Amino acid sequence: MTQPMQTTPTPARREVPRWRRRLFRSPLAIAGLVFIGVFVLVAAFAPFISPYSPVEQNLRGTYVPPMRVEFRGPEGQPGLWVREVSRTPLGQIELGQELYPIKFFVRGEPWVWWGGLLRSDLHLFGVDGPIKFYLLGADEQGRDILSRLAHGAWISLSIGLIAVAIGLSVGVPVGLVSGYFAGTFDLVAQRVVEVMLSFPGILLAIVLVATLGTGLTNVMIAVGIAAI
């Protein structure tokens, strides 16, 4: 009499959450996540990514266009090379003849970040030579646009996070209390919110900044109040 074969039970397949399936099936959602991730990384490591200080001026480099990177050196050697670009006293763009190599992970101006937690003089890239490398060009005062964008990302991210935190910390409790107790409190809260909604958000923020005064902290408060 033959014994029946015993089969090993197959483990139950773990079901992927619905939100994860929808997320990875949406190219726009993945592109948005990548964009936000890059934005956060740039903001978190702005001094390392920036080749120069965002406030350093170079009056010989005002309104300099983005520098063109060449892939061959003066003797045909491979690599990344760039020529000096400057502005003459007559306002014309002058292109130098000599090529300078672009180096990665170079030593430069010392920087302090995260309230002194990070201190270094290492930068992602730089030029091995006596010239300024403006990858995205320079503004009207000769300041590097790439460095200003990287540091500006941190300011924009800080304003957004703190303003949303202010809006949530005030708006959510008021909405919960208003919906739970109703009555007079609900009526007053609705009228206050309707008054705030009658103003465009940017106009309300401008009025609040004009009332509170200028400054980054006041801008965060103003945008947060507009988000309530």
Side-chain angles (χ1 to χ4, degrees), residues 10 12 24 79 90 119 128-129 135 141 178 194 204 223:
T10 304
F24 288 106
L90 298 178
R119 297 174 181 268
D128 187 10
L135 181 62
Q141 297 181 10
S178 175
E194 287 175 358
L204 180 60
V223 177

Side-chain angles (χ1 to χ4, degrees), residues 192-215:
V192 172
V193 171
E194 287 175 358
V195 170
M196 295 179 66
L197 288 174
S198 64
F199 295 93
I202 186 64
L203 179 60
L204 180 60
I206 292 174
V207 171
L208 292 172
V209 168
T211 304
L212 300 175
T214 58

Side-chain angles (χ1 to χ4, degrees), residues 109-147:
E109 301 176 0
W111 49 265
V112 180
W113 199 237
W114 289 99
L117 294 178
L118 295 179
R119 297 174 181 268
S120 178
D121 61 351
L122 186 66
H123 295 265
L124 179 60
F125 63 90
V127 175
D128 187 10
I131 69 170
K132 295 286 188 180
F133 177 40
Y134 299 122
L135 181 62
L136 300 181
D139 63 4
E140 71 279 359
Q141 297 181 10
R143 298 171 297 191
D144 181 43
I145 293 180
L146 175 62
S147 300

Side-chain angles (χ1 to χ4, degrees), residues 63-183:
Y63 289 117
V64 165
M67 288 178 143
R68 187 180 65 182
V69 178
E70 301 185 18
F71 299 95
R72 292 289 179 180
E75 299 179 359
Q77 63 270 43
L80 300 177
W81 305 76
V82 69
R83 301 179 188 271
E84 181 181 13
V85 178
S86 60
R87 185 173 290 276
T88 64
L90 298 178
Q92 298 177 344
I93 297 296
E94 187 176 41
L95 186 64
Q97 298 298 323
E98 187 173 355
L99 287 171
Y100 296 93
I102 300 174
K103 302 293 184 180
F104 290 92
F105 303 103
V106 297
R107 299 290 177 179
E109 301 176 0
W111 49 265
V112 180
W113 199 237
W114 289 99
L117 294 178
L118 295 179
R119 297 174 181 268
S120 178
D121 61 351
L122 186 66
H123 295 265
L124 179 60
F125 63 90
V127 175
D128 187 10
I131 69 170
K132 295 286 188 180
F133 177 40
Y134 299 122
L135 181 62
L136 300 181
D139 63 4
E140 71 279 359
Q141 297 181 10
R143 298 171 297 191
D144 181 43
I145 293 180
L146 175 62
S147 300
R148 294 181 65 79
L149 285 175
H151 284 79
W154 169 254
I155 297 175
S156 300
L157 185 63
S158 301
I159 293 176
L161 291 177
I162 295 178
V164 170
I166 293 175
L168 289 176
S169 62
V170 177
V172 171
V174 171
L176 290 174
V177 174
S178 175
Y180 183 79
F181 291 103

